[in-house]
Amino acid sequence: MIIDGFVHQLPDADPEETREWVEALDQIIDGAGESRARFLMARLIERARSRNIGVPASVSTPYINTIPPEQEAWFPGDEDLERRIRRFIRWNAAVMVVRANKAADGIGGHLSTFASSAALYEVGFNHFFRGKADGNPGDHVYIQGHAAPGIYARAFLEHRLEEAQLLRFRREIGGGGLSSYPHPRLMPDFWEYPTVSMGLGPINSIYQARFNRYLHHRRLDDTSASRVWCFLGDGEVDEPETLGSISLAARERLDNLVWVVNCNLQRLDGPVRGNGKIIQELEAFFRGAGWHVIKVIWGANWDPLLARDADGVLVDKMNSTVDGEYQRFKAEDGAYVRENFFGPDPRLRRLVAHLSDEEVWALRRGGHDYRKMYAAYRAAVELRGAPVVILAKTVKGWTLGPDVEGRNATHQIKKLSNDQLLALRDRLQLHEEIPDEALAEGREPPFYRPSPDSPELQYLLARRRALGGPLPSRPVELRRPLTLPGRGPFAEFDAGSGAQEVSTTMAFTRLLRNLARHETFGPRVVPIIPDEGRTFGMDALFKELRIYASEGQLYEPVDHHLLLSYKEARDGQILEEGITEAGAMASWIAAATSHATRGVPVAPFFTFYSMFGFQRVGDLVWLAGDARARGFLLGATAGRTTLLGEGLQHQDGHSLILASTVPVCRAYDPAFAYEMAAIVEHGLQHMYGPEGEDVFYYLTLYNENYAMPPKPEGVDAGIIAGLYRWAPAPEGVPPAAAILFSGPAQRAARQAQADLAADYGLGVELWSATSYKALREEALEVERWNRLHPEEAPRLPFVTRALGAVPGPVIAVTDYMKMVPDQVARWVPGRFIPLGTDGYGRSDTREALRRFFEVDAGHVVVAALSGLAADGRVEPAAVADAIARYGIDPESADPRLR
Ligand SMILES: Cc1ncc(C[n+]2csc(CCOP(=O)(O)OP(=O)(O)O)c2C)c(N)n1
Ligand SMILES: [Mg+2]
C-alpha cells in the first residue's frame, strides 16, 4: 500500500525477525480469518500504546462501545426515580408541542430530536452540569436547538415554568410565551447560548472553552470549575462551522470541553449517511484531530451477545451494516431484525436463538442506555489533555411509536392523535398519572407534574441543589465589575493630528493601545484579530500587549532583535486567531457575553478586513445580537475606493448595509479620529456603564492618510446621533446647498465645497454623517409615534430638524453604496442626491476608482449643480460646464452594471 510505503524506508535491524512476524500474520489471515487477524493487530497496537512506544493513533475502531462493560463507572443515582422523571419530561415535552399545534395549526415545534436525546440531557442534569447558585458561574451548556421542548418540560417540573407558559410555546407576542429555540434575546433569564442555526453552537462552544482558559491565564477569572458541554446533531456536523475548529480545541488541550453528538442517524430529510456510518466517520475525524472519542453505540443488553461473539461475526456484522439499514431496523420490528440483521449468518442467528422477537426488538442503542451514558460522561470529565466527544447512537423519535420512530419524516412531525398519545402513555408507563379518560377524543391531553413532596420531585430538586441550582439560567450577576477608563485615553484625539497625515485605522490602533494601558480598565481590553495585524498596523501592539499562547513562547522569534518583535505569552492579551473570521467571531462572542456568562465584563475589539466581516460571518453576527453581546466590531480597510489596488473581492462597499439589518448593531462610518474616539467612548459607557444595554458597535476604519482636524465645539451629541454640521458655507458666497460626507469621502466633499465657491460662486455647508442607521432608526421611531398619536402635534425626526435650515439640495457622498445614505432619503427636506459606490470593486488607484464610481470632487460638484438646476436655481448650462470642466464622460456606462 502506497500510504504505508514509508515503512520500507526505515532501517530494519533484523530482517529475519521481521519476515517471521509478517509470515505469522499471513498464517493467521489465511488460517483463522480476517476477524482474528484484526483482533490480534488491535491487541498488539493496544499493548504497544500502553507501553508508550509512540504508535501513531489509528483513527477508527470497530463499531462497538469504546468503554468495555467491565470498565464502566459505577452509577451512583437512583435509576428507577430518574427513569420516572425522564418519563414525565418526555410526556410533557410531547404534550407541549402537540397542544401548541392544536391551538395554532402550523406553529411548529419538534418532538423527535428531544425524544432521541432525553437520556443524554438527563444524565447531565442529574449528575454533571454545574449550576450557578453557589456564586460560581458553573458549566456552560449548549443545548441542541430542536431539543428545547424537553428543556422547558424539565423546567416545568422544577416549578421554574408554569403550565400557562407551556401553553404559550411558540407564542411569544403578548408576553409569557416560550421561544421556539434557545434565544437569550427573547428569554434573557433563561437561555444562555443560541444554538439553532446549525454549526454555530459547536464553534462557539470551542471558543467559549478557549476563552475560559484565556480568562484564567490572564487572571481575570478562575474558570477551573467550569466545563463547556455542547450538544449537537449528527446532521449538524456537515456545517463547516461545526468541524472547522476542532483542531484548535485539541491544540489548546481543551479538556474543559465535552461534545455530545446525538447520532440518531437522521437529519431533516432522511439518513445522515445512509450508505456509510456517521459514527465511524466522526470517530476518524475527531481522533485524527486529537480529541478523545467515546462511542456509545450499544446498550447493555448487547453486552452478553458481544461476550459470546467468539468468532467475531457479530462485530463484523456491526461493522459492515450501513446506517440506512440501521435506521430501517428501528422502523420495523423484532422479527425483521432477527431475519435481516442476525438472519443471514447461521452463527449470528444462533447467537439470538434464545431471545424472543420482543427481546430482539428491545436490544437497545447506547444513547438510550442511561448507565452507559453515565459511564461515558464520567470518563469524559476524568479524561485529561484533550477535549472529549461522545458519539451516542440513538433512535430519532424514540418512544413516540411506530409512526414516528426512525421514519424519514420524523423530524417534522409535531402532531400526535389521541391514540398515538395513548400509546406513548403506555410506553412511558404513566397509566396512573394520565388515565384513559384524560385522553378521550376531544379532550386536551394534560401535562403532568407530581406534587412537590413526591419522591421524584424531591430527588430531582435535590440533584440540582447538589450541583449548584437549575440550568439553563442566565442571572447576569456581576462578579468582577469593570471600571471605565474616564476621558484619559480619548483626550488626545480631540486636538487632531496637526500637519501629520494619519488614517482612522492608525488612530484606532493608538486608542486601543491607550485603553489597554489604562491601569484598571486596561486588563479588560480584549483585542481580537484574524491574521491581519500588520495590515492594520497593529503589529506594533504585539510586543507590548503580547499574543495569547496557552503554552507561552517556546522559541525565540525570528525578529527578536527588533523593537516590535512577535511576542507570545501565556498571559498575552491579544487573541491572534489566524485566518478564521468565524473563529475570531466566536472568540468575540465569548468575550462579548462574558458579562453574563461569567459576571466578568470585558471589552472585546474584533478588527477584521471589512469585506470579510459581515458577509463572511453574518450569521454569527446575527447570533451575537441574540446572545446579547456587548463589544466592538471594526471593519478595517473599509470602503470600495479607499482600499486601492486590491479589487473586487476585497473592496467593501456594503458592510454598512449588512450592519443595518442587525437590530442591535450600532453602525458608524467616522471620517475623523475624534469621531472614532467619541463613538468608542460613548459605546463603552453605553454598554458597560450603569445603562448596560445589550447592543454592540460596528465602526468602519479606513487606511487613507490625511491630517485629522481638531474636534469642533459641541459636536459630541451629533456624532452619536449620526449627523452634525462640520463646516458652514464659506463666507462671501450665497449659501446654496449642503454636502453630507462619511468616512474618507470627506476629501471629495471638502474639495467640492472649495470648487463650488471658487468656480460657481456658490456656498455649500459640510455635514459629517457618522451613522445613517442611527438617523433612520430615530426617524422611524418618530414616524411611528406620529402615526399612533394623530391628535398630538407631530414631531420631526432629528435628521429633518438638523437639515431644516439647509438652503438647497442635499448631496450625500460615501465610500459605500448609495443605499446607505438612501436610508434617510424620505426625511431629508428638499432634494436629496446620494452618491455612492454601487457595483463590483476594481484594482486601481484611489483617484481612478473614485472617478469610476462617481464619488470624486467633480461628481460631487456636478451633483450639487444638477440639484440646483432641477430646483431652477442655476442654468442647466452650469451643470454641462462642470461635466466638461472635470472631464466626465456623460456616455460612460453606470459602474453598477459594468
Ligand atoms: C444553518 C441551518 N440550516 C438549516 C437548518 C434547518 N434544520 C433544522 S433541524 C435540521 C436537521 C437537524 O438534524 P440533526 O443535526 O441530525 O439533528 P437531530 O434533530 O437529528 O438530532 C435542519 C436542516 C438550521 N436550523 N440551521
Ligand atoms: Mg440527527
Side-chain angles (χ1 to χ4, degrees):
M1 275 246 283
I2 193 102
I3 57 166
D4 292 329
F6 73 92
V7 79
H8 298 289
Q9 302 170 49
L10 302 178
D12 187 349
D14 188 343
E16 183 59 23
E17 189 179 45
T18 310
R19 201 174 45 75
E20 283 171 18
W21 276 73
V22 173
E23 278 174 10
L25 178 65
D26 284 341
Q27 279 167 18
I28 300 285
I29 299 171
D30 298 337
E34 293 174 11
S35 288
R36 174 73 188 149
R38 267 200 302 276
F39 169 78
L40 281 176
M41 289 302 298
R43 247 333 243 111
L44 284 174
I45 290 169
E46 184 227 39
R47 182 71 179 164
R49 206 168 278 139
S50 73
R51 309 258 335 246
N52 294 320
I53 65 164
V55 203
S58 67
V59 292
S60 69
T61 64
Y63 199 62
I64 53 173
N65 294 344
T66 306
I67 304 176
E70 63 277 11
Q71 283 178 25
E72 280 168 20
W74 175 74
F75 176 71
D78 182 326
E79 202 172 356
D80 283 339
L81 276 180
E82 293 193 22
R83 186 179 303 113
R84 296 258 304 152
I85 293 168
R86 218 154 57 235
R87 287 172 171 168
F88 300 154
I89 292 175
R90 283 181 180 283
W91 176 259
N92 289 328
V95 168
M96 185 180 79
V97 175
V98 169
R99 286 186 66 165
N101 283 281
K102 262 195 169 168
D105 197 13
I107 204 84
H110 298 84
L111 296 165
S112 293
T113 302
F114 181 71
S116 65
S117 54
L120 276 45
Y121 289 103
E122 282 301 300
V123 171
F125 280 119
N126 284 323
H127 300 282
F128 293 95
F129 304 158
R130 284 203 50 183
K132 313 162 200 284
D134 55 3
N136 189 293
D139 285 351
H140 307 257
V141 185
Y142 291 68
I143 287 157
Q144 218 186 328
H146 297 75
I151 308 305
Y152 291 138
R154 170 168 256 270
F156 171 65
L157 289 193
E158 293 172 317
H159 282 266
R160 295 204 293 144
L161 295 178
E162 293 307 323
E163 183 165 327
Q165 288 166 288
L166 300 198
L167 288 174
R168 292 193 57 75
F169 174 54
R170 293 190 164 223
R171 304 293 289 273
E172 297 180 278
I173 298 184
L178 301 178
S179 59
S180 46
Y181 303 111
H183 293 308
R185 176 63 55 185
L186 303 172
M187 293 177 65
D189 304 327
F190 193 86
W191 293 115
E192 298 177 272
Y193 306 100
T195 49
V196 79
S197 179
M198 311 253 116
L200 303 191
I203 191 171
N204 280 336
S205 75
I206 290 177
Y207 282 87
Q208 179 67 54
R210 202 293 217 87
F211 183 69
N212 278 6
R213 288 281 162 80
Y214 170 89
L215 286 176
H216 200 87
H217 289 156
R218 291 197 54 225
R219 299 179 185 283
L220 291 172
D221 193 15
D222 178 356
T223 60
S224 56
S226 294
R227 194 174 302 280
V228 180
W229 301 84
C230 180
F231 290 80
L232 57 147
D234 49 358
E236 186 172 5
V237 296
D238 284 340
E239 289 287 0
E241 287 87 349
T242 306
L243 297 181
S245 293
I246 62 170
S247 62
L248 170 101
R251 198 158 67 238
E252 291 288 310
R253 300 173 201 276
L254 298 179
D255 51 16
N256 57 343
L257 175 65
V258 178
W259 276 16
V260 183
V261 188
N262 175 17
C263 296
N264 55 25
L265 314 187
Q266 290 178 246
R267 52 190 178 206
L268 194 151
D269 281 342
V272 175
R273 294 287 184 274
N275 295 318
K277 286 218 274 295
I278 187 64
I279 292 179
Q280 296 303 86
E281 184 180 322
L282 291 179
E283 174 185 41
F285 221 85
F286 281 96
R287 282 172 82 110
W291 286 50
H292 296 300
V293 178
I294 303 175
K295 297 195 287 191
V296 190
I297 301 179
W298 309 109
N301 44 10
W302 286 91
D303 288 339
L305 301 183
L306 281 161
R308 286 172 36 227
D309 180 34
D311 41 13
V313 274
L314 179 56
V315 174
D316 279 350
K317 183 70 184 171
M318 289 169 163
N319 281 336
S320 59
T321 303
V322 295
D323 281 356
E325 294 174 293
Y326 279 121
Q327 183 191 343
R328 171 103 189 257
F329 292 139
K330 282 299 171 192
E332 298 283 348
D333 58 17
Y336 182 90
V337 176
R338 183 192 300 281
E339 211 46 47
N340 294 279
F341 184 77
F342 296 103
D345 188 315
R347 292 169 299 176
L348 270 182
R349 195 179 271 275
R350 267 200 305 280
L351 208 54
V352 289
H354 64 297
L355 300 181
S356 67
D357 283 352
E358 285 67 37
E359 286 167 320
V360 169
W361 181 240
L363 287 169
R364 198 174 272 189
R365 288 189 179 170
H368 302 307
D369 187 313
Y370 207 65
R371 285 175 182 259
K372 298 262 183 215
M373 284 313 300
Y374 178 86
Y377 284 29
R378 174 58 51 208
V381 300
E382 284 167 6
L383 279 165
R384 289 288 168 269
V388 181
V389 61
I390 296 172
L391 304 173
K393 186 172 180 177
T394 62
V395 179
K396 192 148 179 170
W398 205 55
T399 70
L400 296 177
D403 302 328
V404 182
E405 285 179 337
R407 299 285 160 193
N408 274 337
T410 186
H411 186 81
Q412 288 177 309
I413 293 176
K414 44 194 165 280
K415 296 181 188 173
L416 297 177
S417 67
N418 276 25
D419 281 347
Q420 287 172 311
L421 281 166
L422 215 53
L424 175 63
R425 191 275 318 260
D426 292 350
R427 175 89 174 256
L428 300 177
Q429 300 183 20
L430 297 175
H431 301 83
E432 272 180 39
E433 295 79 2
I434 314 290
D436 282 2
E437 53 280 15
L439 295 175
E441 248 351 285
R443 303 250 333 239
E444 292 293 346
F447 294 106
Y448 178 74
R449 178 160 64 186
S451 82
D453 48 14
S454 64
E456 291 90 350
L457 269 207
Q458 291 284 314
Y459 181 90
L460 175 144
L461 295 172
R463 288 311 309 146
R464 285 315 310 163
R465 263 197 307 278
L467 286 161
L471 281 178
S473 83
R474 188 176 174 282
V476 193
E477 278 158 13
L478 268 190
R479 291 169 53 242
R480 305 190 65 178
L482 161 159
T483 335
L484 286 169
R487 279 247 70 212
F490 304 97
E492 67 174 270
F493 302 97
D494 294 353
S497 63
Q500 202 192 349
E501 300 208 325
V502 298
S503 65
T504 47
T505 305
M506 286 156 75
F508 167 73
T509 302
R510 199 175 165 88
L511 173 63
L512 189 61
R513 195 200 57 188
N514 291 355
L515 290 169
R517 277 184 183 171
H518 190 273
E519 198 185 337
T520 49
F521 177 73
R524 301 295 179 94
V525 172
V526 181
I528 303 173
I529 31 177
D531 200 35
E532 291 287 355
R534 288 177 202 279
T535 314
F536 312 142
M538 289 187 177
D539 45 328
L541 300 178
F542 291 166
K543 178 77 176 260
E544 181 174 343
L545 303 184
R546 295 163 308 139
I547 292 164
Y548 172 72
S550 54
E551 291 182 286
Q553 193 162 39
L554 305 175
Y555 60 96
E556 186 174 64
V558 64
D559 55 2
H560 65 99
H561 54 288
L562 299 181
L563 192 62
L564 300 177
S565 61
Y566 197 82
K567 182 69 192 147
E568 302 186 75
R570 195 171 154 82
D571 60 350
Q573 190 158 1
I574 299 173
L575 289 168
E576 160 47 279
E577 300 293 12
I579 312 170
T580 165
E581 281 77 15
M585 191 63 204
S587 239
W588 183 84
I589 290 167
T593 52
S594 175
H595 66 282
T597 57
R598 306 217 52 92
V600 182
V602 298
F605 293 85
F606 171 23
T607 313
F608 47 79
Y609 216 113
S610 68
M611 191 65 156
F612 308 129
F614 278 76
Q615 75 172 10
R616 183 72 180 231
V617 293
D619 203 16
L620 278 162
V621 177
W622 186 257
L623 176 149
D626 186 350
R628 298 181 160 266
R630 300 178 186 176
F632 294 92
L633 297 174
L634 302 121
T637 53
R640 190 94 78 200
T641 69
T642 308
L643 177 61
L644 70 169
E646 293 290 353
L648 182 153
Q649 195 82 56
H650 284 73
Q651 290 159 339
D652 169 30
H654 53 277
S655 66
L656 286 166
I657 299 282
L658 302 176
S660 77
T661 64
V662 181
V664 294
C665 174
R666 308 229 161 153
Y668 285 92
D669 193 11
F672 304 122
Y674 68 80
E675 292 181 350
M676 177 279 301
I679 295 160
V680 173
E681 185 176 4
H682 173 85
L684 283 177
Q685 281 161 3
H686 195 67
M687 294 184 290
Y688 305 98
E691 298 167 65
E693 228 193 301
D694 290 329
V695 296
F696 56 86
Y697 285 70
Y698 176 56
L699 278 75
T700 49
L701 300 174
Y702 297 85
N703 66 357
E704 182 170 354
N705 295 335
Y706 39 85
M708 291 294 160
K711 182 169 168 178
E713 279 295 314
V715 298
D716 281 295
I719 293 174
I720 302 308
L723 183 69
Y724 67 96
R725 193 167 76 160
W726 185 71
E731 295 202 1
V733 280
I739 300 174
L740 276 45
F741 62 75
S742 310
Q746 57 90 20
R747 197 188 277 268
R750 288 160 78 179
Q751 186 63 51
Q753 182 197 44
D755 290 2
L756 280 162
D759 300 331
Y760 299 92
L762 294 169
V764 169
E765 299 177 355
L766 294 182
W767 293 68
S768 178
T770 50
S771 177
Y772 286 105
K773 183 176 197 272
L775 294 175
R776 173 180 175 78
E777 283 165 0
E778 193 270 349
L780 286 172
E781 236 176 272
V782 170
E783 196 174 67
R784 173 176 184 273
W785 190 92
N786 288 341
R787 190 166 64 242
L788 298 177
H789 298 82
E791 292 176 313
E792 308 214 28
R795 297 175 179 174
L796 282 182
F798 168 72
V799 60
T800 311
R801 276 183 284 128
L803 298 174
V806 167
V810 172
I811 290 83
V813 59
T814 166
D815 210 8
Y816 277 79
M817 291 171 69
K818 298 178 187 72
M819 216 199 282
V820 175
D822 258 339
Q823 289 181 85
V824 300
R826 80 168 172 276
W827 299 288
V828 174
R831 188 173 299 278
F832 184 60
I833 306 173
L835 297 179
T837 56
D838 299 39
Y840 283 118
R842 295 283 193 289
S843 316
D844 216 309
T845 62
R846 281 186 189 130
E847 210 179 8
L849 288 166
R850 287 172 183 172
R851 169 49 53 102
F852 178 81
F853 283 105
E854 304 175 354
V855 291
D856 62 1
H859 279 281
V860 178
V861 169
V862 169
L865 290 171
S866 155
L868 286 163
D871 288 345
R873 310 249 314 263
V874 301
E875 290 303 319
V879 191
D881 174 81
I883 290 172
R885 181 189 299 266
Y886 290 100
I888 292 169
D889 172 8
E891 303 311 326
S892 61
D894 184 337
R896 189 174 54 84
L897 308 173
R898 279 197 253 173

